[in-house]
Amino acid sequence: MSLARMGDARARLAKARGITVLALVMIGALGAAPRATAITVTIDDRRPLRSFDPRVALGSTIDGHVRGSTDRIFTPANITAMRSANFGPISYRIRTELGIEAWHWNPRGRWSDSANAQGYWISDDRPAAPIRVSYGYRLPRRGSTTDQANNVGYSRLDDGDTATYWKSNPYLDQHYTGEPNGAHPQWAVIDLEARRPLNFIRILWGTPYAIRYEVQYWAGEDPRDFDEDSDDGGWRAFPRGRIANGAGGEAMIRLSDVPIHARFVRLLLLERSAPAVPSRDVRDDFGFAIREIYLGLTVSGHLRDALRHGTERGTGEDSQTRMTVSSTDPWHRATDRWPDTEQPGIDLVIESGVTKALPLLAPAGVLYDTPENAAALLRYLRARNYSVDRVELGEEPDGQYVSPDDFAALYLQVAAALHAVDPRVAVGGPSFQSAVTSVMMTWKSRVDETPWLTHFVNHLRQRGRLADLSFFSFEWYPFDDVCAPTAPQLARGARKLRGAIANFHADGLPDGVPLVLGEYGYSAFATRSQVDRAGALLNAETIGTFLAAGGSAAFLYGTEPAPLEMDPVHGVRCGSWGNNTMFVTDAQRRIRGAGSTHAGARMLTTEWADSTGGMHEMFATSAPAPVSAYTLRRPDGRWSVLLINKDSSRSASVQLHFASGAAMRAPLEIVQWGDAQYHWHADGPRGHAAPNAAPRTTLRRDIAPVVLPPYSLTVVREKLQP
């Protein structure tokens, strides 16, 4: 077909300018929609953006799940299904780091206080019977009310029990950090939920206690509304809130003669007491310990406590006032095992075949574990001769309001312990959560303009340890509103991701540090979008955008088959059931059908890229909304173009322009996946797709416009010649 017969003036103009035009069509399986929007896609094939091997760059994850899930997930049928997505490496995720738990990655191991089965745990690094399942242990010295995982624990600061206590992490003491005493002040923040009149605090100290500390209030109504140029925001010490000679025990402090109204109160702990008699385990002597806090207004000489003391969460009378702390002592007991969540055993994951013998991205706990336990895991992996070349340190510390300097100090200790085992292993992190909080008033004195990442990178640089950031990892779940229409969200998905990556570099991430997308998906909350076509489109857009921006490796969250769920907070508003999973199952993890994520994954790993590996060249490709396009030259020299139509109601008629004058060679393979292949029927927990067919491939020997159906993925590639 000639260019003139295309009826496109822009195509004729392009030819007049010496640009060869390639126009392709797929009319048949999905049909050309009426009134298709004309789209011109331009490929700058003169110089590749970058190169990557999909066996390294395109991976998926394995995570912890509820009790009994491991045996149900890792069946031969499920393993075959998981492998069929043709992803490369596996990133092993640890829910324990989000749940304020210590991970016993090997159930065999030793306690620092073995006589009482308590203390600090190190899993056994000697290979024995393969590890099939492992568990997290809740920390009995916990200070934060809520966590980022199961949210089943509670703070010991206001639990109503003076025999329990919160204790900060001893590994932040100068004994371990090598930094001056006081370099890592600790804190506890109280959220009263509304401004209350305050003039008195009662603190029941544990051991060690603070001899120098401040009781502060947040001057602004809401930290997010704080004016940087204003003098009436940030943390301020109460008029009598600076304590320079604390003696421990019971501290009764009149904070102000005149009550001060505040919602947030912070205890900033600056200097600890020295032990009267050194403990057998020095870690017991480091940090700060508080048994209970009472805060409020004195009336007729009696304290009217504004805190709710209890072990429940929420806003009821029996719930505790929300506390957030700087760190937590990883000390725990054998009785603290949390049985309702389990991690698949490290041997099971690797030996099941899910990893395809490719290098595992291994994890290491930072906030709620010890460097010694991380080093033992790496020794075990090496003793088993498992392929591991990278270890990711931590998970979502920014979302847990941890000070970046505290996290950096712990990070460096874990990195040093790992390098003592294997100097060549690459370590990185910190696995930022996708919605990075710009205001973290818990650890800042004021809401300044210095971001979390800037502090973290500077901490490593100032200590000559920037090389220990071998890669920078973050997670990407861009949309929290599970009830919102998907088309407007898809329209801004790529822009949001490019903006996030640009912000990382603006905040100080050095150029050249590889980017790792440790997890990605439509949303961190269960939503229909995850199992409808929108989820597959967003995942494809995420990968294309990430790789074009220079990303090193990305890991899809949702490898394990799972049932549909409804998020109890967000999804209840619209009855949206979904899950980040490639395969929808019944309650026993038996697969009912493949989800949209599986089809979308294969469009990336198998149709667009070649999952058998080899270096793929990626070229800059521009397309006007609502179409996105990403172009590869595969190792065998064939061109392959991924086209995403994000318009939910209209088709798009696409022309491909090659800037250099090159042209694709017929015959051409056109692979499409849209409504004719996959249509989701919402029915609560029984939702399903019908039809649910594989993408359709058509072989063409002529040239015509390519028609992209609404909400579809299309791959156009040259056919491999015999």
Side-chain angles (χ1 to χ4, degrees):
M1 181 182 296
S2 69
L3 289 173
R5 291 179 61 188
M6 292 181 191
D8 191 322
R10 287 176 300 178
R12 292 192 294 273
L13 178 61
K15 183 182 180 184
R17 291 176 177 172
I19 301 176
T20 299
V21 177
L22 171 66
L24 309 169
V25 69
M26 171 59 189
I27 304 174
L30 299 180
R35 299 189 305 118
T37 303
I39 296 292
T40 300
V41 171
T42 301
I43 302 166
D44 185 356
D45 58 325
R46 293 167 295 188
R47 183 175 63 253
L49 281 174
R50 49 86 51 90
S51 298
F52 68 90
D53 186 334
R55 291 175 302 179
V56 176
L58 302 180
S60 60
T61 65
I62 294 291
D63 201 355
H65 294 275
V66 299
R67 183 198 325 217
S69 294
T70 299
D71 287 339
R72 294 169 180 170
I73 290 171
F74 285 86
T75 64
N78 284 354
I79 291 170
T80 298
M82 289 188 278
R83 287 172 56 96
S84 70
N86 284 335
F87 279 118
I90 290 289
S91 171
Y92 188 107
R93 319 305 294 171
I94 46 174
R95 289 177 63 87
T96 56
E97 189 75 351
L98 301 179
I100 313 184
E101 298 171 358
W103 182 33
H104 290 211
W105 56 264
N106 188 345
R108 302 177 294 271
R110 65 184 187 277
W111 297 95
S112 59
D113 182 358
S114 57
N116 296 300
Q118 64 184 20
Y120 301 92
W121 172 266
I122 303 177
S123 285
D124 196 339
D125 59 10
R126 296 169 297 179
I131 305 167
R132 187 167 184 86
V133 68
S134 59
Y135 294 93
Y137 286 65
R138 293 182 290 179
L139 303 184
R141 297 174 178 176
R142 169 174 171 160
S144 291
T145 298
T146 62
D147 61 58
Q148 305 293 309
N150 305 309
N151 209 19
V152 293
Y154 58 91
S155 173
R156 288 357 183 232
L157 287 167
D158 56 345
D159 62 351
D161 185 351
T162 59
T164 65
Y165 59 93
W166 162 65
K167 184 170 177 288
S168 64
N169 195 326
Y171 285 90
L172 290 170
D173 191 89
Q174 63 177 344
H175 178 86
Y176 291 104
T177 66
E179 301 175 58
N181 191 23
H184 292 277
Q186 299 297 286
W187 44 259
V189 171
I190 305 167
D191 181 0
L192 296 171
E193 300 170 4
R195 288 165 62 91
R196 304 285 296 273
L198 308 169
N199 71 347
F200 201 92
I201 191 169
R202 177 186 176 212
I203 307 172
L204 301 185
W205 290 99
T207 303
Y209 54 88
I211 59 175
R212 187 167 63 90
Y213 60 97
E214 292 185 8
V215 184
Q216 305 171 328
Y217 65 95
W218 184 264
E221 172 69 27
D222 187 329
R224 292 169 296 181
D225 297 332
F226 174 58
D227 183 357
E228 193 67 38
D229 298 323
S230 173
D231 292 330
D232 59 356
W235 291 112
R236 291 184 179 181
F238 282 89
R240 298 181 183 177
R242 291 187 174 91
I243 311 301
N245 54 354
E250 180 180 22
M252 309 280 285
I253 306 170
R254 178 171 289 278
L255 298 169
S256 176
D257 292 333
V258 177
I260 292 176
H261 288 72
R263 170 179 173 176
F264 298 100
V265 172
R266 181 172 75 167
L267 271 68
L268 183 64
L269 312 176
L270 301 170
E271 185 177 351
R272 66 167 174 82
S273 60
V277 179
S279 304
R280 185 181 65 175
D281 191 322
V282 296
R283 288 169 287 194
D284 290 336
D285 299 329
F286 302 148
F288 301 91
I290 300 176
R291 297 187 179 276
E292 200 80 6
I293 299 174
Y294 308 85
L295 172 71
L297 184 69
T298 53
V299 179
S300 300
H302 297 283
L303 174 62
R304 181 176 294 172
D305 192 7
L307 304 187
R308 299 186 307 271
H309 299 259
T311 59
E312 302 294 328
R313 290 160 308 284
T315 57
E317 292 183 0
D318 296 331
S319 64
Q320 64 176 202
T321 297
R322 179 170 178 169
M323 299 281 182
T324 304
V325 299
S326 51
S327 67
T328 298
D329 188 349
W331 186 99
H332 58 287
R333 305 158 298 195
T335 56
D336 293 318
R337 195 185 90 172
W338 178 242
D340 289 351
T341 302
E342 60 189 31
Q343 294 281 149
I346 202 77
D347 292 302
L348 174 64
V349 171
I350 295 176
E351 295 180 1
S352 69
V354 172
T355 65
K356 300 182 179 179
L358 295 170
L360 179 77
L361 176 58
V366 174
L367 296 179
Y368 310 113
D369 218 318
T370 66
E372 296 84 355
N373 199 35
L377 173 59
L378 185 56
R379 284 194 297 270
Y380 183 88
L381 294 169
R382 291 290 181 254
R384 286 285 200 189
N385 292 318
Y386 290 147
S387 181
V388 173
D389 55 6
R390 292 180 296 184
V391 181
E392 185 180 31
L393 278 56
E395 188 156 350
E396 301 183 27
D398 55 319
Q400 302 184 65
Y401 305 105
V402 173
S403 156
D405 291 290
D406 284 0
F407 182 81
L410 297 172
Y411 175 99
L412 290 177
Q413 292 177 59
V414 177
L418 293 171
H419 284 144
V421 176
D422 183 354
R424 297 169 300 174
V425 70
V427 298
S431 189
F432 261 19
Q433 69 175 27
S434 59
V436 178
T437 305
S438 60
V439 177
M440 294 186 185
M441 42 83 74
T442 51
W443 57 269
K444 291 183 176 182
S445 296
R446 294 170 59 88
V447 182
D448 57 31
E449 295 299 323
T450 307
W452 198 100
L453 182 57
T454 306
H455 281 274
F456 174 72
V457 170
N458 285 344
H459 190 104
L460 270 58
R461 179 181 288 112
Q462 291 164 5
R463 285 148 188 82
R465 299 281 300 277
L466 195 55
D468 283 322
L469 187 64
S470 298
F471 60 89
F472 173 79
S473 63
F474 66 103
E475 301 175 1
W476 190 248
Y477 300 101
F479 302 117
D480 291 343
D481 188 348
V482 304
C483 299
T486 56
Q489 293 179 331
L490 291 180
R492 62 180 188 272
R495 184 172 65 253
K496 287 188 67 172
L497 181 54
R498 287 193 296 267
I501 294 173
N503 286 339
F504 293 148
H505 289 290
D507 290 348
L509 180 66
D511 293 336
V513 174
L515 294 173
V516 170
L517 201 52
E519 300 177 17
Y520 67 91
Y522 196 97
S523 175
F525 305 104
T527 168
R528 170 179 172 169
S529 306
Q530 298 161 335
V531 288
D532 214 335
R533 291 201 309 282
L537 268 60
L538 181 69
N539 290 341
E541 183 92 279
T542 296
I543 289 300
T545 303
F546 179 70
L547 293 176
S552 172
F555 298 88
L556 174 75
Y557 190 88
T559 310
E560 305 97 313
L564 299 176
E565 299 175 352
M566 180 174 69
D567 184 80
V569 177
H570 302 79
V572 69
R573 290 190 290 113
C574 53
S576 180
W577 288 73
N579 207 328
N580 273 319
T581 180
M582 292 194 292
F583 299 95
V584 178
T585 73
D586 61 17
Q588 302 303 313
R589 302 289 180 130
R590 294 182 294 247
I591 294 175
R592 293 198 288 116
S596 62
T597 303
H598 179 259
R602 286 187 58 88
M603 287 291 285
L604 289 169
T605 64
T606 310
E607 308 297 349
W608 180 54
D610 183 353
S611 61
T612 62
M615 297 307 295
H616 290 55
E617 293 180 322
M618 191 172 195
F619 293 82
T621 307
S622 60
V627 170
S628 295
Y630 303 94
T631 302
L632 299 179
R633 186 156 56 199
R634 292 165 66 146
D636 55 20
R638 290 188 294 160
W639 288 102
S640 180
V641 183
L642 171 66
L643 299 164
I644 308 171
N645 184 7
K646 294 168 287 186
D647 193 315
S648 60
S649 60
R650 298 187 63 180
S651 299
S653 178
V654 171
Q655 297 177 359
L656 300 179
H657 288 194
F658 283 79
S660 71
M664 295 176 96
R665 297 163 295 179
L668 302 166
E669 295 174 312
I670 303 176
V671 187
Q672 285 195 311
W673 179 83
D675 188 66
Q677 281 70 46
Y678 188 95
H679 187 85
W680 184 256
H681 299 269
D683 187 17
R686 297 173 296 278
H688 63 282
N692 190 356
R696 176 160 181 178
T697 302
T698 299
L699 184 66
R700 295 193 61 84
R701 298 183 180 278
D702 57 347
I703 298 174
V706 59
V707 176
L708 315 181
Y711 262 28
S712 65
L713 297 175
T714 298
V715 171
V716 178
R717 64 171 182 252
E718 296 172 325
K719 181 175 173 55
L720 184 64
Q721 301 299 318

